Amino acid sequence: MELDVIRREDPEVADLIEQELHRQQNTIELIASENFTSEAIMAAAGTVLTNKYAEGKPEKRYYNGCEVIDKIEKIAQERVCKLFGMAHANVQPHSGAQANMAVFLYALKPRDKVLSMDLSNGGHLSHGSPVNFSGLYFDVVSYGVDENGYIDYDEVEKLAVENKPKLIIAGASNYPRIIDFKRFREIADKVGAYLLADIAHIAGLVATGLHPSPAGYAHFVTTTTHKTLRGPRGGVIMCDEEHALGIDKAVFPGTQGGPLEHIIAAKAIAFKEAMAPEYKEYCAQVVKNSKVLAQTLIDNGLDVVSGGTDNHLMTLDLRKIGRTGKDIANLLEEVHITANKNTVPNDPQSPFVTSGVRLGTAATTTRGFKEDDMKIVGKIIANVVKHSDDAEIMAKSAQMALELCQKHPLYK
Ligand SMILES: *Cc1c(COP(=O)(O)O)cnc(C)c1O
């Protein structure tokens, strides 16, 4: 296929792409933010659309020759609005962080106050981390989770009343429970703040009704398109008509140059796929698999933050066992499982070491993993956490993982 075309021109890069394909095929992917797109989506991302400059928006472009591009971008906008029940969409953000940056630019002045979830409790860098522009140019107050791992809405309300933020962000990179967007909006209204719902992780579940929607509550909704939504790598911003012009300006010329129209075509295909009944079944299976994985870990004597999950992810809490997230994530790689180390709430370890490992089921479910497979995955993880110094158990675990990969082939 395309690899042959690449190989004729650049064998060095073609070989590396092939190696990465083999890595993906022979690994159980539990990184909660990853997924596998359809071949149609990948194909669209590799088309002539990459050649076209289309600064501006459909019918208001700076360059000529955008008649076809306009149609493609409008299809993507219409589909994503329908999918999430929102009035306006900008499909140009290059990534989730870029989508958030544009909302900040539109809604805030430098040094305005933002209330968002703390990074070590599950928030995202682009929500006000001191190493990100959002934390450098804005005054950030953060909320966390309570001792049970749930958002404490009374605390969020108290912090909002005390600090009078201009923007409140609801949404996380590592929160396994349902987010109450209605309550967040009530809090935002009480203090006159805008509400941004960042559904980067849970977008697929929101689109299929498996997680309550922020539509009707959030002033702005941002998402990535490549996590549970299973599209190409990218971002989207949605809002009401009232904010449409301002948001569009904040994307271009505010924070970006020319849009990636090949990726926008791929996004359009992803939105179509997400409207199909099979995608709803897929998302339902993602949640079932996640619950079974969490329960298997618990049944094997391990802890997960908040004692379970309502969505596609969970965090293995290693504090009781006395192991670090860094060690376990590295050991999992030895048995063909990829996952990332992650802080647990009130983590005694640094963000480079951590006491947790985040696990998600979006990618394995795309491969066709079902509940029985997830029980085996849970068993392998428990083996690694408890018996990593037993070479025989480790070898057996690696074998079990490879068998699961062979049972559910990827990109054949
Ligand atoms: C992943 C994520 C982002 C950023 O997405 P990128 O495409 O990596 O920039 C933003 N917000 C949340 C909550 C995320 O989980």
Side-chain angles (χ1 to χ4, degrees):
M1 29 172 254
E2 302 80 9
L3 219 48
D4 299 328
V5 181
I6 299 170
R7 182 160 285 116
R8 258 177 269 142
E9 174 115 359
D10 189 338
E12 195 181 0
V13 169
D15 280 348
L16 291 171
I17 295 172
E18 192 162 24
Q19 281 175 35
E20 173 60 13
L21 172 64
H22 290 154
R23 188 196 67 80
Q24 292 184 17
Q25 287 172 326
N26 297 311
T27 307
I28 296 179
E29 186 55 73
L30 296 181
I31 293 178
S33 48
E34 294 191 11
N35 211 329
F36 303 114
T37 74
S38 68
E39 300 202 28
I41 287 171
M42 280 193 285
T47 59
V48 292
L49 301 176
T50 195
N51 298 330
K52 189 72 196 98
Y53 244 115
E55 284 174 337
K57 45 189 186 178
E59 273 132 44
K60 291 198 180 67
R61 305 286 191 183
Y62 286 78
Y63 296 158
N64 288 76
C66 291
E67 305 76 36
V68 182
I69 294 287
D70 282 0
K71 287 185 190 152
I72 293 170
E73 190 166 331
K74 282 207 297 211
I75 288 176
Q77 290 172 335
E78 283 161 19
R79 286 182 184 166
V80 77
C81 283
K82 193 165 166 221
L83 195 57
F84 291 101
M86 298 288 293
H88 177 74
N90 188 306
V91 295
Q92 293 185 1
H94 302 327
S95 77
Q98 290 296 107
N100 288 339
M101 186 177 207
V103 172
F104 273 62
L105 182 70
Y106 169 68
L108 303 172
K109 301 254 178 304
R111 302 262 69 86
D112 273 352
K113 248 183 212 155
V114 175
L115 176 61
S116 62
M117 191 181 233
D118 179 55
L119 184 62
S120 67
N121 278 238
H124 189 263
L125 281 165
S126 63
H127 294 182
S129 158
V131 297
N132 182 264
F133 94 96
S134 56
L136 289 166
Y137 296 157
F138 303 93
D139 288 341
V140 179
V141 180
S142 37
Y143 59 88
V145 293
D146 63 18
E147 66 273 23
N148 299 317
Y150 285 75
I151 293 172
D152 179 345
Y153 292 93
D154 293 335
E155 191 215 353
V156 176
E157 180 166 348
K158 187 165 150 271
L159 287 169
V161 169
E162 276 168 17
N163 295 285
K164 298 261 175 302
K166 190 103 178 283
L167 177 71
I168 299 176
I169 307 180
S173 296
N174 191 19
Y175 185 65
R177 297 302 183 178
I178 299 293
I179 296 175
D180 188 347
F181 294 117
K182 181 168 182 280
R183 180 77 197 273
F184 264 110
R185 176 60 186 260
E186 285 161 10
I187 295 169
D189 282 347
K190 191 167 175 184
V191 299
Y194 281 128
L195 177 63
L196 162 61
D198 179 349
I199 58 169
H201 260 268
I202 54 173
L205 309 188
V206 170
T208 51
L210 293 162
H211 186 290
S213 171
Y217 299 120
H219 297 93
F220 318 104
V221 177
T222 54
T223 184
T224 60
T225 46
H226 50 276
K227 298 180 183 175
T228 52
L229 202 48
R230 206 163 63 177
R233 192 158 289 283
V236 173
I237 308 173
M238 290 169 280
C239 59
D240 288 342
E241 288 302 344
E242 184 192 349
H243 303 293
L245 192 62
I247 284 292
D248 287 347
K249 282 186 181 161
V251 174
F252 176 85
T255 51
Q256 291 191 171
L260 312 177
E261 294 293 345
H262 52 308
I263 299 301
I264 289 173
K267 286 175 184 173
I269 299 170
F271 303 147
K272 181 174 184 193
E273 288 178 3
M275 287 178 210
E278 301 82 57
Y279 180 76
K280 187 168 185 172
E281 278 167 36
Y282 158 72
C283 286
Q285 189 65 47
V286 167
V287 177
K288 278 188 220 160
N289 283 351
S290 182
K291 285 179 186 287
V292 167
L293 180 57
Q295 194 54 51
T296 308
L297 296 171
I298 292 165
D299 292 345
N300 278 278
L302 302 178
D303 289 339
V304 298
V305 173
S306 87
T309 178
D310 300 325
N311 61 23
H312 64 299
L313 61 76
M314 70 213 70
T315 305
L316 181 58
D317 181 347
L318 299 159
R319 283 177 298 185
K320 196 176 74 188
I321 309 264
R323 309 228 37 176
T324 67
K326 186 180 171 202
D327 280 353
I328 296 302
N330 288 339
L331 288 163
L332 285 172
E333 201 163 353
E334 289 179 23
V335 300
H336 303 278
I337 291 180
T338 330
N340 60 285
K341 63 174 183 268
N342 215 111
T343 50
V344 297
N346 307 313
D347 204 317
Q349 302 283 358
S350 79
F352 301 100
V353 178
T354 81
S355 302
V357 177
R358 188 180 65 159
L359 306 167
T361 54
T364 47
T365 307
T366 294
R367 285 184 81 146
F369 280 48
K370 295 268 167 29
E371 288 92 326
D372 285 349
D373 303 311
M374 294 322 295
K375 284 184 191 161
I376 299 173
V377 173
K379 182 71 193 149
I380 298 172
I381 295 170
N383 281 347
V384 169
V385 172
K386 294 196 271 191
H387 306 291
S388 63
D389 42 9
D390 185 327
E392 210 170 305
I393 293 181
M394 288 295 279
K396 175 90 174 58
S397 300
Q399 188 54 39
M400 286 157 72
L402 273 182
E403 278 164 18
L404 281 176
C405 291
Q406 279 148 14
K407 180 178 169 195
H408 300 289
L410 176 69
Y411 299 133
K412 270 288 156 180

